[in-house]
Amino acid sequence: MRKFAIVGALLVLSACAAAPNPAPLPPSGPIPVADRYAFTKLDQKTCPTEAKSFADWVERYEAFAYKGGQPKELIADAFENVKENPSITVKQSKQPEFVTPVWTYLSKAVSDDRVARGQQQYALNRAVVDATARQYGVDSGTLMGIWGIETDFGRNFGDVNVFEALSNLGYGAKRTDFACSEMTAALTIANRDRIPVSKMIGSWAGAMGHSQFLPSNYLQLAVDADRSGAPDLWTSMPDVFASTANHLTKAGGGWLTGVPAFVEVKLPLGFPYQQAELDLEQPVAHWRQLGVKTVGGMPLPELPGGTAIIVLAGWKGPAFLITKNFKAILRYNNSTSYALSVAYLGQRILGGPGVQAAWPTSEPALNLAEREEIQTRLAAQGYDVGKVDGVLGLKTRKAVRLFQAKIAVPQDGYANKALLLALRSQPSV
Ligand SMILES: [Ca+2]
């Protein structure tokens, strides 16, 4: 990593000096609000739920789309080269942001190498990024952070056609409603914006272009900032950054201008860890009263609105005070590891620090079977964990806290090996 950092730093310096091909600025004046299509949910009865084969499923969807008014030639064009792709179904069950330990995810997502390339890309695109950030009242770091985490600054959009990705999610992964709605949105985009279906490339999850918008996000939030006639998330950087900024300000609770997404904090001894939860919002004054300081030991800054404290690796790991802006990043991808990585990547690209406190990396990470065992054992003890799926979400954390209270350990909601061992030693109920 260190070697990469030095190479990267040199690249940044040379990029600053030469500034080759700076991205063009969008035209001045207000950016038009994206068209908001009446995007009705599809009727489950007509969207194919049963099919004899992948080809049969696609055919049924094609008939459904045609009945729904999509042009016949467009449908034929969109599905002409679509093939069954079982690897998409497999990837669906292994999303790294939900199953990798946060410190492993973060060290890959915000590597020194990526920070260096982010600084280089910021130097190249700075005029557009800063102008977009000002226009929307968001910050340049977050726009760069999202670009970096989503596609590694455009190096990796994915290479799957959106219709192939979605039809495989619909048939193979049985995400029928999601796939049908998104495929219909994709056809609507192709028709409305005259975008060739072959250009609609993205990830296995159906997310397209630099900003990895699902087709429904594109319809509702993509912006034609360069006034070419349509939003272009594949080749127009003004459109990409404006669309990302529009997503941050419009999806969910909005964006507070000039407010950081998070502040790393130090919790006092005896902190009531049951209060460290994403949805338990309090004014900053509440945390001050409990003795929470910044990680450097300073008083907490003034921050507007509700704030929450999260400890993503339990009471032994770093703690973060998060604002409404952290939640706006979560609307992009509902994973706290993802949102923290976006915020840190942006902060480091702008010259700020990384995480200060140490992660408990010496604790062995739980594998899928162990995470499911924890959920199963909690359920057997009478706690509600929701679905046993190995994803330790809010319901599982609540159940973990209740069990932690019972065995008198800090109620941080964090499931680790020690918790699993404690559960195994419980008499069955
Ligand atoms: Ca455009």
Side-chain angles (χ1 to χ4, degrees):
M1 286 303 161
R2 210 149 282 282
K3 195 174 77 187
F4 282 123
I6 292 162
V7 173
L10 289 174
L11 284 173
V12 172
L13 288 175
S14 61
C16 288
N21 305 323
L25 273 173
S28 55
I31 288 176
V33 174
D35 288 344
R36 284 180 178 274
Y37 267 60
F39 187 58
T40 43
K41 277 237 162 196
L42 295 176
D43 181 351
Q44 219 174 332
K45 277 176 251 146
T46 48
C47 197
T49 48
E50 297 295 327
K52 291 194 284 285
S53 64
F54 176 76
D56 181 37
W57 194 90
V58 171
E59 255 175 53
R60 284 167 190 244
Y61 174 77
E62 288 180 306
F64 165 72
Y66 181 62
K67 233 173 102 184
Q70 299 288 348
K72 200 171 186 175
E73 305 73 37
L74 178 64
I75 299 169
D77 200 16
F79 291 95
E80 193 185 358
N81 296 312
V82 163
K83 287 182 218 60
E84 185 164 15
N85 186 344
S87 73
I88 289 173
T89 317
V90 175
K91 281 180 186 148
Q92 152 80 16
S93 64
K94 290 186 181 164
Q95 296 182 53
E97 64 270 41
F98 294 106
V99 297
T100 311
V102 56
W103 56 84
T104 309
Y105 181 85
L106 203 65
S107 72
K108 286 181 185 160
V110 194
S111 65
D112 292 348
D113 175 39
R114 184 174 279 168
V115 170
R117 279 184 295 104
Q119 289 173 336
Q120 184 190 4
Q121 287 298 329
Y122 185 44
L124 284 170
N125 294 278
R126 184 157 188 169
V128 176
V129 175
D130 289 357
T132 307
R134 265 197 309 276
Q135 200 144 13
Y136 283 84
V138 300
D139 65 81
S140 297
T142 306
L143 294 180
M144 289 301 299
I146 287 178
W147 188 29
I149 304 292
E150 290 293 343
T151 59
D152 208 6
F153 311 107
R155 291 214 307 190
N156 178 22
F157 292 178
D159 54 4
V160 186
N161 180 269
V162 69
F163 295 100
E164 176 148 322
L166 291 168
S167 52
N168 275 284
L169 288 172
Y171 176 73
K174 308 254 178 279
R175 294 182 60 193
T176 306
D177 288 352
F178 166 79
C180 285
S181 303
E182 294 297 340
M183 290 196 300
T184 302
L187 288 171
T188 307
I189 293 165
N191 199 25
R192 179 189 81 177
D193 294 344
R194 300 281 173 260
I195 293 176
V197 292
S198 59
K199 193 179 176 179
M200 298 173 79
I201 299 295
S203 72
W204 60 266
M208 307 185 297
H210 280 274
S211 50
Q212 295 281 283
F213 272 28
L214 284 170
S216 58
N217 290 146
Y218 180 110
L219 273 183
Q220 293 175 334
L221 296 166
V223 176
D224 178 22
D226 66 6
R227 317 286 213 282
S228 68
D232 175 353
L233 304 181
W234 296 274
T235 54
S236 164
M237 295 322 290
D239 288 8
V240 168
F241 293 121
S243 299
T244 300
N246 200 37
H247 194 301
L248 288 171
T249 54
K250 299 241 175 67
W255 188 269
L256 298 167
T257 301
V259 173
F262 76 99
V263 176
E264 188 179 349
V265 293
K266 191 168 165 44
L267 305 180
L269 276 176
F271 178 81
Y273 279 92
Q274 56 274 34
Q275 292 191 27
E277 184 53 77
L278 200 59
D279 291 331
L280 291 181
E281 292 187 355
Q282 296 283 358
V284 170
H286 173 82
W287 306 119
R288 281 201 193 118
Q289 223 161 40
L290 289 175
V292 179
K293 299 263 170 67
T294 71
V295 73
M298 303 296 286
L300 295 180
E302 283 302 330
L303 296 166
T307 59
I309 285 181
I310 55 172
V311 286
L312 300 181
W315 65 274
K316 289 179 188 165
F320 306 95
L321 179 71
I322 59 161
T323 68
K324 191 174 169 182
N325 292 350
F326 190 89
K327 297 197 170 171
I329 302 172
L330 279 175
R331 295 293 296 209
Y332 226 93
N333 182 340
N334 194 20
S335 146
T336 45
S337 293
Y338 169 86
L340 199 65
S341 297
V342 162
Y344 264 109
L345 181 58
Q347 178 167 300
R348 288 198 56 199
I349 287 171
L350 299 185
V355 183
Q356 303 293 295
W359 294 101
T361 50
S362 59
E363 285 190 4
L366 297 174
N367 62 33
L368 177 64
E370 291 167 328
R371 292 194 302 273
E372 288 181 347
E373 185 183 342
I374 282 181
Q375 291 177 316
T376 307
R377 286 185 181 274
L378 283 167
Q381 294 282 319
Y383 301 108
D384 178 14
V385 295
K387 202 170 129 207
V388 173
D389 54 6
V391 177
L392 306 176
L394 186 60
K395 269 195 168 174
T396 303
R397 292 199 297 275
K398 273 187 183 155
V400 167
R401 284 198 168 96
L402 292 171
F403 178 67
Q404 287 173 324
K406 186 181 157 193
I407 61 171
V409 297
Q411 295 168 55
D412 59 10
Y414 181 59
N416 58 7
K417 276 263 161 66
L419 185 94
L420 177 58
L421 293 177
L423 274 166
R424 280 178 184 161
S425 69
Q426 291 296 302
S428 52
V429 182

